[in-house]
Amino acid sequence: MSRLEAKKPSFCRSEPLTSERVRATLSVLKGIVTSCYGPAGRLKQLHNGLGGSVCTTSQSAALLANLPVTHPILKILTTSVQNHVSCFSDGGLFTAILCCNLVENVQRLGLTPTTVIKLNKQLLSLCTSYLKSEACGCRIPVNFSSTQILLCLVRSILTSKPACMLTTKEIDHISTLILRAFLLIIPENAQDHIILGKSIIVPLKRQRVIDSTVLPGILIEISEVQLMKILPIKKSDSFKVALFCVSLSGDLSDTGEGNVVVSYGVSLENAVLDQLLNLGRQLVSDHVDLVLCQKVIHPSLKQFLRTHHVIAVDRVGVAVMEPLSKVTGTRPIGSLDSISPSSYGSVKDLCTAKFGFKHFFHIIPNEATVCSLLLCNRNDTAWDELKLTCQTALHALQLTIKEPCVLLGGGCTETHLAAYIRHKTRSEPEGILRDDGCTQTELQLITEAFCSALESLAGSLEHDGGEVLTDGKYGHFWSVQADSPSVVNWPDVLSRCGCGLYSSQEELSWSFLRSARPPFVPQTCLPCEATDSAGNLTLDCFTAKLSGLQVAVETANLILDLSYVIEDKN
Amino acid sequence: MAAAGSVRAALQVAEVLETVVSCCLGPEGRQVLCTKPTGEVLLSRDGGRLLKALHLEHPIARMMVACVSSHIRKTGDGAKTFIIFLCHLLRELHAITDKEKDSFFSENIQTHGRHWKNCCQWKFISQALLTFQTQILDYVMDHYLSRHFLSIFSSSTKERPLCRSSLEMLLGAYFCGRVGRNNHNFVSQLMCDYFFKCTACESGFEEVLELVDDCFVELKVGVTGLPVSDSRIIAGLVLPRDFSVYCPADGDIRIVIVIETIQPPFSTFGSEFILNSEAQFQTSQFWITERTKAIMKYLQKQNVKLLLSTVKQPDLVIYCAGLNGISVVECLSSEELSLIQRVTGLSPFVLPQASSQYELSNTAMVKFCKPFILRSKRYVHLGLISTCSFTPHCIVLCGPVQGLVEQHQDALHGAFKMLRQLFKDLDLNYVTQASDQNCTSSPLIYKNSRESNDLPEIVNGSIQRPYQDTVVKNKDELAKTQTYLKAYSNLVVPSVELETNILCSTPTVTLTATYQTDATLRCFSPNKARIMDDHEPFIESNSANSTTENTRREISYENLQVTKNARKGSILPVRDKSLEMCTSQSYCFSSVPAGCVLPVGGNFEILLHYYLLNYAKKCRQSEETMVSMIIANALLGVPKILYKSKKGNYSFPQIYIRALHALQTNQPMISNQTGLESVAGKYRLLTSVLQCLTNILTIDLVINIKRQPQEIYDQDSEEEL
């Protein structure tokens, strides 16, 4: 029964950002996301007091999905980060922290929202055009003839997720696997535009990480009982496959809207079974070797097929239907009578395999772009985290193929970008202030807020109480151990910058990130040999980071523009 | 609750609403964040949506919100201005009645003091408002305001080609008040591009607007998680679902629409299927399969490559379609279906009864049909070939959060509504009071002006230049004749006057002789000065051929054509009346032509304010004067808020004084704003507000009922009662 009730009046608040409560909640959220950021980030344990599993994570995707947010402003922030993550997988924490920093910094200034929004937008377009330009000093073009940079990218992503609980050796192993899985899904004979295949992640929990592996083709998990029935597989170089999307269980299909009256003594089950056995006969006479069914196969039909040495695997599920039809070249069959011969496909080999305690039926295609990544980890939460990370890495690789370049990681892009903007607004403010009616002072204030938001984002990579520095030549990010002596010769305590491109042996004028520094021209144009020689760089996905930057600034603008909040209390 | 309280209460309510909406008004307006009961967040600057989201309890507030929403539904614009204007009107009324009360107490009895007492007083005012709305407003619009109008069309020919830059200005101003500050330029550019891409030929834009307005939901695709700048326009139609089976095909593709399952069902509704044997069951199943195959084969033979279905098709149909190389899209919504039908004129495919050989009639062609991936979600992309003037295009709207995407989507939809209203003529009709002495002569003159009106039709608008020369030459003479016309018949619409005069200069020579006396009488009237400056733009347009001046001329032509018919209709009653000896009333029908615009920034309000004050000065009846004054003052509320944050030369008093000065000295008003807004929209808004106000004023008691809403009782409980 639907009840019509008078709606309760909504709750209306003006100037939401000025309220102390909102600021407090924003800073709590900022604290949460900041402490998760980077390889040294702290883990968060989310558990529901009413039950359910405990989630240990430091990833924005898992964190924000489980975090209950009540205030509408925080909701805007978290949903925009979540939407970004669902588009690009990577860079969620980056977006969230930057957005929080921007809102906080700009609010302190007390300028009118119009000015702030205009100038923020100008600074953003300055950033994006610089990052997209050839002269950009924090962008490395990807050379696909070597796997070095791609491997660095994957390793950086794995390193930045401490909740996966991987050792250095395991990180090396998994990053090689991910890269191999990615290379397997690239079609060999690519035309003008590439259609990537799919890598299916197969769970194998409570095993050693080192046992993880990548196999070409598709793995279908089967029970041991089923496995006994399948054995043995005859030797052949090609197997004919039929793939059914319709149920072969013998249930009556939809009988229409009217009534069906069945006379006494007429058994429809027998009639349908007859039909199924006829189908079986046709399959046998067509020399099909393997029958796969999305739904259930009737035991009698299974029995019939087995006696004729046809392997039948049922309940494969809708998820693998598309990759299956792709690797085998079959057309999913939706009919019980007369199958067109063109619907059959073929595979190169079939075998059964046992990984850990699970049995799999392994379909090896002739040439295909589908692979299975068997992923192991010690416990459930760590496995979930690792799976998310692998998906992120695979997605980042895909994005890198579209836009073949990567950004320097480890905080170097942020500090470099901040140095560039400072220099740009100081040297040519006219170009930015063209027709906006804003003053130079306002521009300087906003620039300072914007740059310090970027720098404190980089600074939040350091969690162990160490000092963060930047150099006066490249504008890169350097961090010092907490327990280093106070009066120091910088090159002694520093080793390499955040991304690992430069070493401290060069004479660079270091200064604290938080202290005031004279603006300088950061060296643009990376030297080619630098990118080739440096073996172990920390890198970030270009597309994800660029979009994260845009989304963060847009969301911050949106939040700063709010004058009222109307809450519907119904 | 007493009636006097109702204005005060209404004012209080309106003031609260005003503070909420005024923060989002105009280019400096800010955003409001609304949460839905489901927990979703929505960003909005749309007044209508905000008012609805407030879920107000106060009865008068609810009435106001209802008025606003019905106005919005029609016009798609002006909710915030509605509230602000209403609030100012109430404030003015309140102030006046307070004053009246004081005088009532001090001087005890005044002549019309009794009118202004409580209920009667409100009823009286509301009647005066109604008279104002039906008579004075239209008159002022037509006689004074219309000469300031600009047009969105770039020339006056029948096709009325749209001027892109004016449309951009119009949309720019619209989106300034609707979407966030950093996005309005982008969104208005997007909308402009979309509109011109969708309009195949210049003339069919009304049809396009109608279709886009009706089917906007189907023509946009919202994507979250991407920056707003990734929004774009895509040729063809994008359906938010994947192909059930996709077979790549090249070239032009034939499509059919089905609205039932192709596979025949076992039994239909209301029938019984009796199975007597297993063999019978198997045969019927076999028949079903064969029949489905036959239909699909038939479709393939007819070269159909794509099947659009409103229902879910069984596996067998999908399988057969795949075998025959036919792509299938299932589960189209009825809105999508109707959009496709409107664009292509395609009707659903009727399943052939027997295995027929005849040609398939209900098919359409598409240029392409392919999967389309947006944010790793798959869509169906159809290149429909249109049979109407709408060229199908889709807008992909991106934004970091759903709330922002929805805001842009609503704003775009509203903009299409607004444009649709803009391209309609707005009828004005009012009663003019002809003065006694010339009412006998009015039919004569009237005929005369009618004759002259026929002239432009013969000569047509093709040669406009020569006239202007005449204008300059016969300036003095024309000015005179103008006055006569004006004096004898108030029927002539000012914008037409000029055209008429140019052509009827010969006939009026004789007229001058006949009605010399009257003419001299009227020469002192302020009309003269006005007419003189009426010529100014024309003289200017000779030298500087700016678009503004051009459009001005077009409006006049437009007016001419429209008013002509109306005048023919009105000639008879006028003549009758004059024979009956001057009842001195004549009905006038006129219109604001389609596409009339004024610059933004309170231009309309200040103009109307000025002319209403002028009118009030001339008025004889006191209540007319009063109502005009009230409305004139209330009109300034909107520009006051718009210029609130501006300082120095651009502050409101400065702007206001400059505008008044310009109007008094007959100089063109200079606006520092670049946008345009629709005159018809403003006019409709004004009338809606006045109607709402009369509604509020006529209420004398608000009765509070403490009971659950009626609909809460279901059938049973009602029976029990």
Side-chain angles (χ1 to χ4, degrees):
Chain A
M1 190 183 79
S2 69
R3 285 172 70 89
L4 189 85
E5 269 185 71
K7 292 242 166 125
K8 283 188 224 101
S10 302
F11 188 65
C12 187
R13 267 176 303 195
S14 68
E15 296 299 332
L17 277 184
T18 53
S19 105
E20 203 50 52
R21 211 186 115 236
V22 176
R23 287 189 194 188
T25 39
L26 256 177
S27 73
V28 168
L29 180 75
K30 188 190 158 190
I32 292 175
V33 283
T34 312
S35 59
C36 289
Y37 192 49
R42 304 285 186 256
L43 307 187
K44 300 284 167 287
Q45 199 173 53
L46 295 159
H47 71 104
N48 188 343
L50 300 175
S53 63
V54 174
C55 164
T56 308
T57 186
S58 70
Q59 290 195 51
S60 59
L63 190 69
L64 295 178
N66 290 315
L67 204 64
V69 180
T70 46
H71 198 280
I73 289 187
L74 294 192
K75 216 174 255 175
I76 280 274
L77 208 160
T78 51
T79 41
S80 97
V81 173
Q82 278 173 298
N83 285 335
H84 166 79
V85 171
S86 65
C87 275
F88 297 99
S89 302
D90 200 14
L93 287 176
F94 169 84
T95 312
I97 299 172
L98 182 59
C99 186
C100 287
N101 281 348
L102 270 175
V103 171
E104 212 176 72
N105 286 354
V106 167
Q107 243 213 300
R108 234 176 271 144
L109 298 177
L111 294 174
T112 60
T114 325
T115 332
V116 171
I117 289 168
K118 259 184 206 159
L119 290 176
N120 264 346
K121 205 186 171 195
Q122 291 286 356
L123 293 179
L124 174 66
S125 63
L126 201 65
C127 288
T128 48
S129 56
Y130 176 64
L131 287 177
K132 281 177 184 164
S133 72
E134 287 294 318
C136 176
C138 47
R139 198 176 79 153
I140 303 177
V142 176
N143 179 7
F144 284 104
S145 58
S146 102
T147 56
Q148 187 59 38
I149 284 182
L150 292 179
L151 203 58
C152 284
L153 176 65
V154 175
R155 196 183 291 125
S156 308
I157 291 173
L158 282 171
T159 326
S160 69
K161 315 284 192 247
C164 295
M165 312 280 182
L166 300 181
T167 61
T168 331
K169 203 181 146 207
E170 286 166 345
I171 285 179
D172 284 344
H173 179 67
I174 295 285
S175 33
T176 337
L177 286 186
I178 291 173
L179 193 59
R180 204 192 297 159
F182 178 68
L183 294 176
L184 277 173
I185 65 170
I186 298 174
E188 271 172 35
N189 42 359
Q191 286 98 28
D192 45 353
H193 74 277
I194 309 167
I195 299 168
L196 289 180
K198 195 174 177 180
S199 44
I200 304 165
I201 296 181
V202 182
L204 203 59
K205 295 173 188 175
R206 290 178 217 97
Q207 297 290 314
R208 292 181 307 150
V209 181
I210 295 297
D211 293 339
S212 305
T213 179
V214 169
L215 297 167
I218 293 175
L219 287 175
I220 298 169
E221 193 185 333
I222 49 172
S223 64
E224 204 169 349
V225 185
Q226 262 184 309
L227 188 76
M228 305 310 285
K229 288 179 182 166
I230 284 171
L231 287 171
I233 298 167
K234 62 171 179 176
K235 282 277 158 249
S236 167
D237 51 355
S238 174
F239 295 85
K240 206 171 188 180
V241 185
L243 177 66
F244 284 88
C245 61
V246 75
S247 165
L248 297 179
S249 63
D251 48 354
L252 269 181
S253 55
D254 181 31
T255 52
E257 285 169 322
N259 299 327
V260 176
V261 179
V262 184
S263 311
Y264 181 75
V266 177
S267 162
L268 291 186
E269 287 73 25
N270 284 340
V272 179
L273 195 57
D274 274 354
Q275 208 179 355
L276 283 179
L277 290 178
N278 275 334
L279 179 74
R281 268 175 223 117
Q282 197 199 340
L283 289 172
V284 171
S285 66
D286 283 346
H287 304 292
V288 172
D289 301 299
L290 171 66
V291 174
L292 294 163
C293 181
Q294 181 191 335
K295 293 163 187 169
V296 181
I297 303 179
H298 196 281
S300 310
L301 180 60
K302 257 192 194 168
Q303 178 68 36
F304 174 84
L305 289 173
R306 192 160 62 242
T307 51
H308 291 85
H309 308 289
V310 178
I311 307 162
V313 178
D314 63 349
R315 302 181 213 221
V316 296
V318 73
V320 287
M321 282 303 280
E322 206 197 315
L324 265 179
S325 110
K326 205 168 172 184
V327 285
T328 55
T330 53
R331 183 181 298 288
I333 301 164
S335 155
L336 293 185
D337 332 78
S338 67
I339 299 157
S340 155
S342 66
S343 318
Y344 298 129
S346 69
V347 293
K348 193 165 140 202
D349 200 6
L350 298 169
C351 61
T352 54
K354 186 170 185 248
F355 295 100
F357 51 89
K358 279 184 179 174
H359 297 277
F360 293 96
F361 187 68
H362 188 189
I363 297 169
I364 304 160
N366 289 319
E367 48 143 352
T369 55
V370 175
C371 69
S372 302
L373 175 59
L374 259 167
L375 211 54
C376 312
N377 209 343
R378 293 169 199 91
N379 58 37
D380 282 4
T381 44
W383 187 86
D384 288 341
E385 185 83 0
L386 183 60
K387 183 196 170 202
L388 258 179
T389 312
C390 287
Q391 282 171 340
T392 307
L394 285 168
H395 197 176
L397 287 171
Q398 284 185 24
L399 292 172
T400 309
I401 274 212
K402 272 189 205 154
E403 191 88 45
C405 49
V406 286
L407 286 175
L408 297 178
C412 289
T413 296
E414 288 85 352
T415 46
H416 178 88
L417 205 55
Y420 172 79
I421 291 170
R422 280 220 175 86
H423 156 70
K424 205 79 182 164
T425 51
R426 199 57 66 93
S427 62
E428 37 193 291
E430 308 82 27
I432 302 162
L433 288 172
R434 251 160 307 157
D435 43 69
D436 284 340
C438 305
T439 62
Q440 283 222 17
T441 332
E442 284 168 336
L443 176 65
Q444 290 310 330
L445 281 171
I446 296 288
T447 307
E448 194 48 47
F450 193 91
C451 293
S452 70
L454 277 174
E455 281 167 352
S456 69
L457 169 64
S460 50
L461 282 168
E462 178 60 59
H463 296 280
D464 302 317
E467 280 298 339
V468 284
L469 305 166
T470 181
D471 65 78
K473 187 181 177 193
Y474 306 108
H476 275 217
F477 175 87
W478 307 76
S479 71
V480 193
Q481 300 261 305
D483 48 1
S484 54
S486 54
V487 184
V488 281
N489 181 19
W490 286 124
D492 294 343
V493 283
L494 299 168
S495 55
R496 295 201 84 87
C497 69
C499 62
L501 196 58
Y502 300 110
S503 80
S504 59
Q505 296 318 308
E506 247 181 291
E507 195 49 57
L508 307 164
S509 55
W510 285 277
S511 56
F512 288 110
L513 198 58
R514 257 161 278 159
S515 64
R517 297 175 302 282
F520 65 97
V521 194
Q523 189 177 330
T524 54
C525 290
L526 284 169
C528 291
E529 66 274 16
T531 59
D532 293 340
S533 62
N536 209 347
L537 295 176
T538 306
L539 299 170
D540 280 335
C541 175
F542 176 79
T543 325
K545 199 151 194 167
L546 186 68
S547 174
L549 182 71
Q550 283 172 302
V551 166
V553 178
E554 273 187 17
T555 313
N557 278 347
L558 216 56
I559 291 173
L560 290 168
D561 203 14
L562 294 177
S563 71
Y564 273 94
V565 172
I566 298 176
E567 269 181 274
D568 196 330
K569 294 282 185 191
N570 288 300
Chain B
M1 206 184 286
S6 99
V7 161
R8 190 170 298 139
L11 178 62
Q12 279 168 354
V13 166
E15 273 177 341
V16 171
L17 293 183
E18 190 199 14
T19 49
V20 177
V21 291
S22 63
C23 74
C24 337
L25 184 81
E28 298 285 309
R30 297 169 64 183
Q31 302 261 23
V32 174
L33 184 68
C34 303
T35 62
K36 291 185 191 167
T38 47
E40 288 166 85
V41 282
L42 186 74
L43 285 152
S44 186
R45 288 184 61 192
D46 175 3
R49 198 182 261 275
L50 291 185
L51 292 175
K52 258 189 217 142
L54 282 170
H55 291 305
L56 296 163
E57 255 182 347
H58 196 284
I60 293 178
R62 273 158 70 174
M63 188 173 139
M64 284 178 195
V65 173
C67 284
V68 172
S69 5
S70 76
H71 171 75
I72 282 287
R73 221 172 298 128
K74 265 191 309 212
T75 59
D77 193 14
K80 288 169 280 183
T81 325
F82 187 107
I83 291 291
I84 290 166
F85 186 48
L86 182 65
C87 180
H88 277 85
L89 275 176
L90 285 166
R91 210 170 274 153
E92 292 285 332
L93 274 180
H94 189 67
I96 278 195
T97 47
D98 272 358
K99 222 187 290 162
E100 293 282 347
K101 252 178 208 155
D102 291 342
S103 58
F104 180 75
F105 285 124
S106 56
E107 293 162 40
N108 271 331
I109 292 167
Q110 268 190 343
T111 40
H112 64 288
R114 276 190 308 157
H115 283 302
W116 302 96
K117 243 178 76 186
N118 291 339
C119 292
C120 297
Q121 169 192 336
W122 297 121
K123 198 172 173 208
F124 194 78
I125 292 181
S126 77
Q127 267 168 0
L129 282 173
L130 215 62
T131 343
F132 174 85
Q133 189 213 316
T134 49
Q135 290 167 22
I136 305 166
L137 180 61
D138 284 10
Y139 173 78
V140 172
M141 285 282 288
D142 199 11
H143 275 235
Y144 303 111
L145 229 60
S146 53
R147 61 200 177 95
H148 294 276
F149 293 166
L150 312 172
S151 175
I152 196 125
F153 303 114
S154 52
S155 87
S156 65
T157 41
K158 270 268 161 53
E159 292 91 51
R160 298 191 298 181
L162 270 174
C163 173
R164 188 174 172 123
S165 63
S166 344
L167 189 71
E168 267 169 19
M169 277 153 82
L170 180 78
L171 290 174
Y174 182 85
F175 285 111
C176 246
R178 282 313 189 83
V179 297
R181 247 164 298 189
N182 37 358
N183 295 324
H184 65 80
N185 279 331
F186 179 77
V187 177
S188 85
Q189 206 57 47
L190 192 74
M191 159 104 180
C192 215
D193 287 346
Y194 182 73
F195 180 68
F196 281 103
K197 276 187 180 168
C198 284
T199 319
C201 52
E202 296 245 288
S203 57
F205 58 83
E206 271 117 342
E207 193 187 345
V208 172
L209 283 175
E210 192 188 331
L211 193 139
V212 174
D213 182 20
D214 291 345
C215 309
F216 188 71
V217 181
E218 280 69 45
L219 290 169
K220 63 98 190 92
V221 186
V223 180
T224 54
L226 297 177
V228 176
S229 52
D230 282 4
S231 307
R232 58 188 182 275
I233 295 163
I234 295 171
L237 185 67
V238 176
L239 302 173
R241 53 178 57 68
D242 195 11
F243 286 99
S244 302
V245 60
Y246 175 62
C247 308
D250 288 330
D252 278 1
I253 295 162
R254 229 168 164 195
I255 61 168
V256 287
I257 296 176
V258 288
I259 51 170
E260 54 193 325
T261 51
I262 286 179
Q263 180 177 350
F266 225 75
S267 58
T268 51
F269 181 75
S271 70
E272 223 166 55
F273 182 76
I274 300 168
L275 277 174
N276 287 322
S277 68
E278 284 145 30
Q280 187 195 0
F281 172 73
Q282 280 169 347
T283 345
S284 42
Q285 282 228 316
F286 182 72
W287 181 82
I288 287 174
T289 315
E290 287 306 311
R291 166 103 178 115
T292 313
K293 278 184 187 163
I295 293 172
M296 295 314 286
K297 201 91 201 158
Y298 167 70
L299 287 176
Q300 190 221 358
K301 279 229 181 74
Q302 298 294 329
N303 214 9
V304 170
K305 288 275 190 265
L306 174 64
L307 191 72
L308 299 173
S309 163
T310 54
V311 292
K312 175 116 185 67
Q313 298 287 350
D315 287 335
L316 180 61
V317 176
I318 305 289
Y319 175 59
C320 291
L323 287 179
N324 289 311
I326 300 172
S327 308
V328 182
V329 180
E330 294 174 293
C331 306
L332 290 180
S333 70
S334 57
E335 288 85 12
E336 285 163 346
L337 179 71
S338 82
L339 173 64
I340 293 172
Q341 288 186 335
R342 273 173 87 165
V343 171
T344 58
L346 178 64
S347 53
F349 164 66
V350 184
L351 297 180
Q353 283 310 313
S355 57
S356 50
Q357 296 302 313
Y358 61 82
E359 191 73 4
L360 192 58
S361 57
N362 296 327
T363 59
M365 298 300 245
V366 291
K367 266 179 257 157
F368 55 83
C369 101
K370 55 190 181 200
F372 179 72
I373 297 174
L374 261 178
R375 224 203 99 172
S376 62
K377 209 179 143 198
R378 282 190 216 171
Y379 294 83
V380 172
H381 190 190
L382 295 180
L384 293 178
I385 297 174
S386 172
T387 53
C388 58
S389 51
F390 172 74
T391 323
H393 280 83
C394 273
I395 305 188
V396 178
L397 286 173
C398 303
V401 279
Q402 181 65 26
L404 196 66
V405 175
E406 268 178 47
Q407 182 186 23
H408 291 170
Q409 175 192 325
D410 287 348
L412 283 168
H413 199 176
F416 280 110
K417 267 207 174 66
M418 187 268 292
L419 282 186
R420 209 174 150 184
Q421 292 288 325
L422 176 70
F423 294 130
K424 276 184 197 153
D425 287 341
L426 177 71
D427 293 325
L428 301 174
N429 36 46
Y430 49 91
V431 183
T432 44
Q433 307 276 340
S435 45
D436 287 352
Q437 68 260 47
N438 57 24
C439 82
T440 36
S441 56
S442 71
L444 279 171
I445 285 294
Y446 199 68
K447 240 198 280 175
N448 218 320
S449 63
R450 218 181 104 238
E451 277 167 17
S452 61
N453 272 337
D454 294 336
L455 279 171
E457 209 176 37
I458 304 156
V459 193
N460 215 347
S462 53
I463 23 165
Q464 293 177 7
R465 273 300 144 100
Y467 299 159
Q468 282 155 17
D469 294 338
T470 344
V471 175
V472 185
K473 253 188 269 168
N474 306 336
K475 196 175 155 195
D476 291 344
E477 193 188 37
L478 279 174
K480 255 188 189 169
T481 50
Q482 176 84 44
T483 342
Y484 303 141
L485 274 178
K486 189 72 203 165
Y488 291 126
S489 69
N490 281 329
L491 304 168
V492 188
V493 185
S495 49
V496 188
E497 277 171 3
L498 217 74
E499 301 293 342
T500 329
N501 269 313
I502 301 159
L503 297 157
C504 68
S505 46
T506 15
T508 40
V509 177
T510 48
L511 280 171
T512 335
T514 336
Y515 300 100
Q516 191 78 53
T517 44
D518 275 324
T520 40
L521 264 174
R522 288 277 148 178
C523 266
F524 309 110
S525 69
N527 280 337
K528 173 129 186 173
R530 203 173 63 65
I531 287 148
M532 292 300 281
D533 82 75
D534 246 356
H535 290 295
E536 272 173 24
F538 273 79
I539 298 152
E540 271 170 29
S541 72
N542 265 338
S543 49
N545 202 0
S546 67
T547 32
T548 348
E549 306 296 341
N550 270 337
T551 48
R552 167 86 182 93
R553 221 186 307 136
E554 287 134 31
I555 298 166
S556 322
Y557 264 99
E558 224 95 277
N559 248 337
L560 200 67
Q561 283 160 0
V562 180
T563 44
K564 203 161 55 220
N565 293 336
R567 205 160 297 153
K568 270 174 194 159
S570 69
I571 183 86
L572 280 174
V574 174
R575 194 175 276 165
D576 284 346
K577 271 174 196 155
S578 61
L579 286 174
E580 283 165 27
M581 201 49 237
C582 46
T583 14
S584 78
Q585 275 206 342
S586 53
Y587 292 93
C588 197
F589 301 97
S590 170
S591 74
V592 174
C596 267
V597 286
L598 274 175
V600 287
N603 237 312
F604 176 87
E605 284 86 359
I606 292 176
L607 280 174
L608 193 57
H609 166 82
Y610 174 75
Y611 287 118
L612 279 180
L613 282 188
N614 270 1
Y615 180 85
K617 274 180 212 150
K618 281 185 278 172
C619 253
R620 270 168 288 167
Q621 286 153 296
S622 63
E623 64 266 31
E624 238 175 60
T625 319
M626 191 202 68
V627 166
S628 305
M629 296 277 282
I630 288 175
I631 291 170
N633 289 332
L635 276 168
L636 290 184
V638 174
K640 266 181 200 160
I641 291 177
L642 283 179
Y643 292 107
K644 201 165 60 181
S645 65
K646 297 274 167 63
K647 287 180 191 73
N649 241 356
Y650 295 111
S651 66
F652 174 70
Q654 291 279 341
I655 297 260
Y656 178 64
I657 286 167
R658 253 180 288 155
L660 282 199
H661 182 72
L663 282 170
Q664 274 156 4
T665 53
N666 289 314
Q667 282 162 356
M669 277 171 74
I670 299 150
S671 171
N672 58 326
Q673 312 260 352
T674 47
L676 294 172
E677 60 192 348
S678 154
V679 170
K682 283 279 175 190
Y683 173 83
R684 285 205 182 86
L685 175 72
L686 200 56
T687 51
S688 301
V689 174
L690 290 177
Q691 266 159 12
C692 177
L693 184 63
T694 43
N695 276 352
I696 291 173
L697 289 181
T698 41
I699 293 171
D700 73 330
L701 265 182
V702 178
I703 301 171
N704 215 348
I705 303 166
K706 296 264 184 215
R707 202 165 55 184
Q708 288 290 311
Q710 207 67 58
E711 288 89 332
I712 201 157
Y713 301 113
D714 55 6
Q715 290 289 314
D716 299 337
S717 57
E718 255 170 29
E719 277 163 24
E720 279 164 31
L721 281 169

